[in-house]
Amino acid sequence: MGKIIYLMGKSSTGKDTIFKKLLEDRSLGLKNIVPYTTRPIRGGEKSGEEYFFTDEEGYRKLKEQGKIIEDRVYHTFHGLWRYFTVDDGQVQKRDQNYLMIGTLESYLKLKDYFGADRMLPIMIELDDGIRLQRALNRERAQESPRYEEMCRRFLADSEDFAEEKIREAGVEERFENDDLDRCLDRIRNYIAENMDINLI
């Protein structure tokens, strides 16, 4: 049976970069599961890659159709933003290995939906000072920086990824991203060991 490798961690830990590198690794053979959001698209993003971008009406229709597996809502400085996973046919083959990125909360709901034996959680970590600087640099590069929302998210991470919650979720493997190449190698080896894959 295929696995769903689930990347998670606080904001600006480098999850997106690691996610893309893992998807590009042909020896792993991972297929992306793209979540949905109602937040505004950022510069450099494309719908269908990081997220499927929709609006409140699109969310409501999917909810009425019973297709939403899990959803989270955030009351931001710029309005209500939703993030959610949809049963839209992306996960079809039982022998295919998939890759997702998200929060601890969404991981728990997906574990309930697909089963614990199908999930392989991976926690990415990084020093808070480095994370804050990365977040500031990324936001500054946006056409319309949202500094208030950046700060809200940074502070919320402390509660969302509290040590007690991580333990209760049963997340055991944690990877420090203080050096991207070293962190990526450790994650690749961990995935290969758990899925009996020979790395190239």
Side-chain angles (χ1 to χ4, degrees):
M1 180 173 62
K3 295 277 190 183
I4 298 174
I5 293 93
Y6 201 91
L7 291 183
M8 65 189 107
K10 295 178 180 178
S11 57
S12 301
T13 53
K15 298 185 303 293
D16 291 337
T17 300
I18 290 171
F19 180 82
K20 289 174 183 175
K21 295 283 187 184
L22 292 175
L23 272 184
E24 292 168 358
D25 191 330
R26 293 186 178 182
S27 60
L28 294 176
L30 303 175
K31 187 174 180 181
N32 185 16
I33 299 176
V34 183
Y36 289 63
T37 185
T38 61
R39 75 153 167 78
I41 192 168
R42 292 177 182 152
E45 290 180 327
K46 293 181 181 178
S47 188
E49 292 186 3
E50 292 89 351
Y51 295 96
F52 286 113
F53 292 91
T54 185
D55 55 18
E56 194 66 20
E57 177 67 13
Y59 166 82
R60 187 186 61 76
K61 287 181 179 178
L62 289 166
K63 189 79 169 177
E64 289 174 355
Q65 294 167 6
K67 292 188 174 182
I68 294 181
I69 298 172
E70 62 83 25
D71 66 313
R72 291 145 283 131
V73 61
Y74 299 98
H75 298 277
T76 77
F77 283 92
H78 304 280
L80 185 146
W81 293 356
R82 297 186 188 275
Y83 293 81
F84 49 103
T85 308
V86 177
D87 188 351
D88 58 0
Q90 291 186 70
V91 180
Q92 293 181 337
K93 298 180 180 179
R94 295 287 292 174
D95 59 345
Q96 172 69 51
N97 294 313
Y98 295 91
L99 182 65
M100 277 195 79
I101 190 170
T103 66
L104 189 60
E105 178 187 354
S106 62
Y107 163 71
L108 290 171
K109 292 178 181 177
L110 285 162
K111 186 169 72 167
D112 288 341
Y113 188 84
F114 290 109
D117 58 338
R118 191 101 195 260
M119 306 296 291
L120 185 65
I122 293 175
M123 180 74 68
I124 310 296
E125 298 182 319
L126 186 63
D127 172 77
D128 283 347
I130 298 173
R131 287 196 310 110
L132 183 57
Q133 187 61 60
R134 284 185 180 180
L136 182 59
N137 291 343
R138 181 175 67 184
E139 206 57 44
R140 188 177 286 140
Q142 299 297 313
E143 186 174 328
S144 299
R146 300 173 186 268
Y147 295 117
E148 296 94 342
E149 174 55 22
M150 180 203 77
C151 292
R152 183 207 65 80
R153 185 177 177 189
F154 186 87
L155 294 172
D157 280 339
S158 295
E159 181 179 343
D160 294 343
F161 290 95
E163 287 297 321
E164 183 180 350
K165 291 183 178 180
I166 294 172
R167 284 195 302 272
E168 289 175 354
V171 177
E172 298 177 355
E173 292 302 320
R174 299 158 77 161
F175 300 85
E176 185 75 18
N177 189 19
D178 52 355
D179 180 279
L180 177 59
D181 290 336
R182 184 169 59 235
C183 181
L184 194 56
D185 281 344
R186 288 187 59 223
I187 292 172
R188 289 177 73 246
N189 289 330
Y190 176 68
I191 292 172
E193 289 168 8
N194 279 272
M195 301 194 310
D196 197 26
I197 294 174
N198 292 319
L199 295 175
I200 298 173

